[in-house]
Amino acid sequence: MDFALTDEQSAIFDLAQAFGRSHIAPHARKWEADGTIPKELWSQLAELGFGGLYVSEENGGAGLSRLDATLVFEALSQSCASVSAFLSIHNMCASMIETYGKAALKNAMLPDVISMKSIMSYCLTEPGCGSDAAALTTKAAPFEGGFELTGTKAFISGGGYSDAYIVMARTGTDGPKGISAFVVNDGTRGLSFGALEDKMGWRAQPTRAVQMDGCKVPAENMLGQINAGFSYAMTGLDGGRLNIAACSIGGAQAALDQTLAYMADRKAFGKTIDQFQGLQFQLADMEIQLQSARTFLRQAAWKLDQNRPDATKFCAMAKKLCTETGSKVADQCLQLHGGYGYLADYGIEKTVRDLRVHQILEGTNEIMQMITARQMIKDANSCRK
């Protein structure tokens, strides 16, 4: 068993980290204040191959593994978790188009998606159903040549900003087996957006409700088979949970690195505060927590890459562990900065705000506990038979 990254994986991490430090970190506070991310950034990331991280090379993507991809998101999150997380959403959509899209749709969309000329968002959550996603009410009524979508999606990162949306809508009976997935392009008649949400964190990402009032999409814009969309969504979320876990680790690691530098400079009672044993214990605990969470995350990513039967459970566990660890570490880093940690100039308070939502999205951490426990019970029952 080898826990070391390969030379190629280390190069991937270093490339993303260097890009973030040069092109993202210096602007992160301004983008947060502006409430948007300049679209020119995405084309720069795409030049590095980050617009289609796990789209196959055959289809123009980077062909990376899920483990490789977590390295990208961890590294970029050291500069801004909000930007990194938005890139994760785009990549999930790109992967779904490659995996489930018909040939004509893939040929038409993938080149621009991979080059990030076309930015994508993912629309599952609705105002009345978050954790109970299978209860969604957005309808897709068939008509000659396609489907007509009507409904509202909530909390959509990139709402009114992105160029296309993957929308989950009901085409059949109630429950998960009556849901299909569709690509809805920006500018489609009947597509509109709510007001910009005023959020605690992820403020650089424009977030709005996505509203559809009789949006007509051609049949070829349906991904995969009719009524199979919910399974596609859940499969996509396994990787999304790994990515958001990586974003938490990256953001917290940057906060810890910054805290070490601050403590080596800040003096109290005649010496730098990194010389106080009680504070050293806190530093050690944060390092242990981050290293443990990172190791577990990479194990979960390896399981997903290997299609292991327990991959979904491990992705859920990794998401809960890493997002909670990341938030805990970032909050402790703020505490160690004292009053300065509360000031925007130091950047720690932004990290605390950005990481908090990671425990909610891609399935709340309570849902991660449900996934884990149900699989444990299922496995135990199987052993008794």
Side-chain angles (χ1 to χ4, degrees):
M1 185 178 294
D2 187 355
F3 288 94
L5 298 179
T6 65
D7 290 343
E8 181 180 359
Q9 288 172 326
S10 295
I12 290 169
F13 184 91
D14 292 344
L15 177 66
Q17 185 183 59
F19 181 91
R21 287 174 174 172
S22 297
H23 298 281
I24 298 175
H27 311 291
R29 282 186 60 201
K30 182 180 185 304
W31 296 345
E32 180 177 63
D34 292 344
T36 193
I37 303 165
K39 287 196 172 181
E40 306 85 71
L41 178 73
W42 305 123
S43 60
Q44 293 176 300
L45 283 163
E47 288 174 4
L48 303 179
F50 293 172
L53 286 169
Y54 21 84
V55 173
S56 67
E57 292 180 280
E58 176 185 351
N59 283 314
L64 298 185
S65 69
R66 292 292 181 162
L67 174 55
D68 295 339
T70 64
L71 304 176
V72 172
F73 296 116
E74 179 183 345
L76 290 176
S77 288
Q78 292 184 6
S79 295
C80 180
S82 178
V83 171
S84 184
F86 192 83
L87 182 67
S88 169
I89 295 167
H90 172 87
N91 271 274
M92 179 170 65
C93 293
S95 178
M96 291 179 72
I97 290 174
E98 181 191 37
T99 304
Y100 306 113
K102 299 173 181 64
L105 183 68
K106 288 194 284 189
N107 292 337
M109 292 200 67
L110 271 182
D112 283 351
V113 170
I114 292 169
S115 68
M116 300 196 78
K117 292 178 183 176
S118 179
I119 310 301
M120 297 208 65
S121 288
Y122 180 78
C123 304
L124 174 62
T125 300
E126 296 185 356
C129 59
S131 293
D132 187 13
L136 64 84
T137 59
T138 295
K139 302 288 186 182
F143 72 94
E144 186 176 354
F147 293 83
E148 187 175 271
L149 276 61
T150 299
T152 299
K153 299 295 182 178
F155 310 125
I156 304 304
S157 293
Y161 170 91
S162 293
D163 301 291
Y165 303 85
I166 291 183
V167 177
M168 299 295 159
R170 188 161 304 284
T171 48
T173 59
D174 291 344
K177 294 184 179 180
I179 295 169
S180 299
F182 300 89
V183 175
V184 179
N185 291 310
D186 187 39
T188 299
R189 188 173 182 177
L191 179 67
S192 62
F193 307 96
L196 187 68
E197 301 289 2
D198 188 7
K199 310 186 300 293
M200 171 183 174
W202 276 24
R203 296 182 69 86
Q205 286 188 29
T207 301
R208 296 179 176 88
V210 174
Q211 300 157 342
M212 292 153 287
D213 184 11
C215 284
K216 291 185 177 180
V217 299
E220 56 266 27
N221 279 31
M222 184 174 71
L223 298 180
Q225 301 298 314
I226 193 166
N227 295 329
F230 193 76
S231 64
Y232 305 156
M234 294 302 102
T235 299
L237 284 175
D238 279 344
R241 287 163 183 161
L242 294 176
N243 296 346
I244 210 65
C247 289
S248 285
I249 297 299
Q253 185 65 62
L256 181 55
D257 292 344
Q258 185 177 338
T259 300
L260 282 164
Y262 172 82
M263 292 175 68
D265 182 66
R266 174 71 168 169
K267 288 186 177 181
F269 306 104
K271 56 184 177 181
T272 58
I273 62 174
D274 63 354
Q275 298 304 303
F276 289 96
Q277 188 181 60
L279 301 186
Q280 290 176 351
F281 288 169
Q282 293 181 40
L283 290 173
D285 283 344
M286 289 190 286
E287 175 73 359
I288 292 166
Q289 291 159 11
L290 276 181
Q291 292 290 358
S292 300
R294 181 182 288 112
T295 299
F296 191 90
L297 167 62
R298 293 178 181 174
Q299 181 190 19
W302 177 84
K303 283 179 177 286
L304 187 60
D305 284 329
Q306 299 298 317
N307 293 314
R308 291 300 179 98
D310 57 355
T312 292
K313 182 181 84 168
F314 270 76
C315 289
M317 291 192 293
K319 193 265 183 181
K320 182 179 187 297
L321 173 64
C322 294
T323 57
E324 291 179 0
T325 297
S327 284
K328 180 180 178 181
V329 168
D331 185 67
Q332 188 60 46
C333 287
L334 189 154
Q335 185 71 20
L336 288 170
H337 274 76
Y340 292 106
Y342 206 66
L343 301 181
D345 287 348
Y346 282 75
I348 298 292
E349 60 85 31
K350 176 182 180 298
T351 299
V352 171
R353 289 187 290 103
D354 281 345
L355 297 192
R356 181 59 184 87
V357 74
H358 296 185
Q359 298 178 56
I360 299 171
L361 49 82
E362 305 285 10
T364 66
N365 283 6
E366 290 76 18
I367 294 295
M368 299 306 101
Q369 290 174 300
M370 287 175 57
I371 291 170
T372 302
R374 285 174 179 175
Q375 189 60 51
M376 291 170 64
I377 293 167
K378 180 179 177 181
D379 292 343
N381 290 338
S382 297
C383 290
R384 285 194 286 269
K385 289 181 180 177

